[in-house]
Every structure is written in structure tokens, then in C-alpha cells.
Amino acid sequence: MTADEHARFVTAMGDFLASWNLPRATGRVYGRLLLNAAPASLDELGAALELSKGAVSTAVRDLVSWGLARTIPQPGSRRLLIEAVGGFEQLLAASHERTRAFIRVLRDGTDSAEDDHARSRLSEVAAFFESYVDAGEQMLRGRR
């Protein structure tokens, strides 16, 4: 892969995760981690992506919380190495978990609805998202 192809991929990953309301820097860091042959330090990622150490640190926290990266402590040092731990499957699984939380909120809201029409609407929206998660889970099971 050429440097230009590398840069295009990293930018595309940034744009993609930004469409999921994650910071563009988070997507760029993830893209870089996916392309790296070995774990990288915050400094290495910052230099490669021309991002501040703070931006990289925030991006890594986001990626770890989504299950897309892990940190590797270095014995005798405060320095951490970071590596990507999954692909789209991890992203989809994390999205499903967040969607399940959204479904719980919708279901809880049903009790507060003003009338049957509002309760029905909430139930329909919750059922739609449950179908989305079910279809995604079926797809993930087929890939394992």
C-alpha cells in the first residue's frame, strides 16, 4: 500500500466513524491502528496523523470504550502501546449494545406515553430497532 493509499484509508475511516457521531480523529486513529503491523504509542500515532497527544489520547479512550482497541502497558514505564483488536464485527457489536440501551429507554418511555397512539408509536420504534439488532446478530453469528 502506498503512502497516498494509506492516507486515503485513514481519512475514509475518520469520515466513516464521524458519520456515527464519533470524532473524526477517533476514526483516523482507528484507521492507522488497523494498518499498523505492530502496536503504536500515543506519540507515534500523533506524529503519523499530525494530531496532538491529547487528541490521540481521547481517540484511544473512545476506541477502547467501543471495544475497537486495547492498551498494552509497558513494564517499568507509564507509556502505553495501542493496537486495534477488531474489525467491523466489533463495531457492529458495540453498536448493537448501544442500540439495546436505546431500546430499553424506548420501552421505559412507553409507560409515560400520553395515550395509546403514543404508546403504539414507541412500541413500533422499539420493535424496529430490535429487528435491526436481531438481523445484525444473525449476520455476526454467520461470520463466526
Side-chain angles (χ1 to χ4, degrees), residues 14-27 62-63 65-66 68 91 98:
D15 293 343
F16 177 74
L17 291 189
S19 75
W20 286 36
N21 294 320
L22 285 169
R24 185 167 268 101
T26 300
D62 286 343
L63 293 170
S65 76
W66 276 78
L68 297 173
L91 193 58
R98 290 175 189 256

Side-chain angles (χ1 to χ4, degrees), residues 33 36-41 44-45 70 72 74 79 81-84:
L33 290 171
N36 282 359
S41 70
E44 291 166 341
L45 290 168
R70 73 180 184 105
I72 305 165
Q74 298 304 290
R79 183 178 139 152
L81 295 180
I82 301 98
E83 70 178 349

Side-chain angles (χ1 to χ4, degrees), residues 20 91-92 95-96 99 103 126-138:
W20 286 36
L91 193 58
L92 190 57
S95 172
H96 288 169
T99 303
I103 292 166
F128 172 80
F129 282 101
E130 286 169 341
S131 296
Y132 159 77
V133 171
D134 290 345
E137 290 296 322
Q138 184 176 355

Side-chain angles (χ1 to χ4, degrees), residues 7-76:
R8 276 195 299 276
F9 176 79
V10 167
T11 298
M13 189 59 69
D15 293 343
F16 177 74
L17 291 189
S19 75
W20 286 36
N21 294 320
L22 285 169
R24 185 167 268 101
T26 300
R28 292 183 64 225
V29 169
Y30 185 53
R32 180 67 189 205
L33 290 171
L34 286 170
L35 293 176
N36 282 359
S41 70
L42 294 175
D43 291 331
E44 291 166 341
L45 290 168
L49 298 170
E50 298 179 349
L51 293 170
S52 71
K53 193 170 184 176
V56 174
S57 180
T58 298
V60 167
R61 276 195 305 275
D62 286 343
L63 293 170
V64 169
S65 76
W66 276 78
L68 297 173
R70 73 180 184 105
T71 57
I72 305 165
Q74 298 304 290

